[in-house]
Amino acid sequence: GLCLGCWFWLHGYRFPFIGGCSALTVADSTPKLSSVQAPIVITGGSSGIGRAIRRRLEAAGYTTLNLDIQRPEEDCQNFVACDLSDPSSISDAVASIMVPSEGLGGLICVAGVGPIPGDPMTVMRVNFLGTRLLTEQLLPHVRRGGSVTLVASSARAPQRR
């Protein structure tokens, strides 16, 4: 199932905070019809949490745009290659998106990298700077009532003993 934060977002509830996935899940994912028509951009939709969110949204009738550094193994509606550590890749990806007249339904930023020993700048370039640049470039295209959701996870973090 979807995490509670994603379920609320899927059902049109908007909260003024940055959310993250939790262990709480719900089974119902019936979209509001007015939300189904506007595409939703998802970063990291080729694997992990992003893939699960993308597949759930597509199954619920949403149009998704998957921005990721890797192509998904299975078919997805729309794939755009995007490396969040590279500002020109981000700009190229945004320029390639055909934004409908009603705008985008939202942006879900899931892509990220875990701790990289000896290379903290890559973590900053992807998880913070790249996500911020993408959000700044897409936000003017998110329709009124749409939202931006930032997902953080420690799933790939090394386990402490």
Side-chain angles (χ1 to χ4, degrees):
L2 289 175
C3 80
L4 189 59
C6 294
W7 181 88
F8 279 114
W9 185 88
L10 182 65
H11 288 280
Y13 298 97
R14 307 296 186 249
F15 299 103
F17 62 83
I18 297 173
C21 286
S22 69
L24 299 174
T25 60
V26 293
D28 182 28
S29 64
T30 307
K32 296 182 178 231
L33 292 178
S34 63
S35 300
V36 175
Q37 297 169 4
I40 298 168
V41 176
I42 302 174
T43 67
S46 293
S47 63
I49 295 168
R51 177 178 175 244
I53 293 170
R54 177 185 56 80
R55 290 176 70 190
R56 187 68 175 252
L57 289 169
E58 289 173 356
Y62 286 86
T63 299
T64 63
L65 302 164
N66 176 21
L67 274 61
D68 204 314
I69 196 168
Q70 67 182 19
R71 182 172 289 282
E73 291 179 10
E74 77 282 349
D75 287 339
C76 74
Q77 291 175 348
N78 301 288
F79 172 77
V80 177
C82 182
D83 180 353
L84 288 177
S85 70
D86 179 3
S88 63
S89 177
I90 295 168
S91 295
D92 291 346
V94 170
S96 74
I97 295 173
M98 300 290 290
V99 178
S101 59
E102 71 270 13
L104 298 171
L107 169 63
I108 304 174
C109 297
V110 186
V113 297
I116 302 172
D119 192 8
M121 288 311 298
T122 296
V123 177
M124 286 297 294
R125 275 194 303 275
V126 173
N127 296 358
F128 177 69
L129 298 172
T131 298
R132 179 179 173 167
L133 179 61
L134 178 70
T135 302
E136 289 173 344
Q137 290 187 17
L138 284 179
L139 195 56
H141 303 290
V142 175
R143 71 182 186 167
R144 186 178 190 104
S147 68
V148 175
T149 302
L150 304 177
V151 177
S153 171
S154 60
R156 290 191 180 175
Q159 299 298 315
R160 295 186 177 150
R161 298 187 198 272

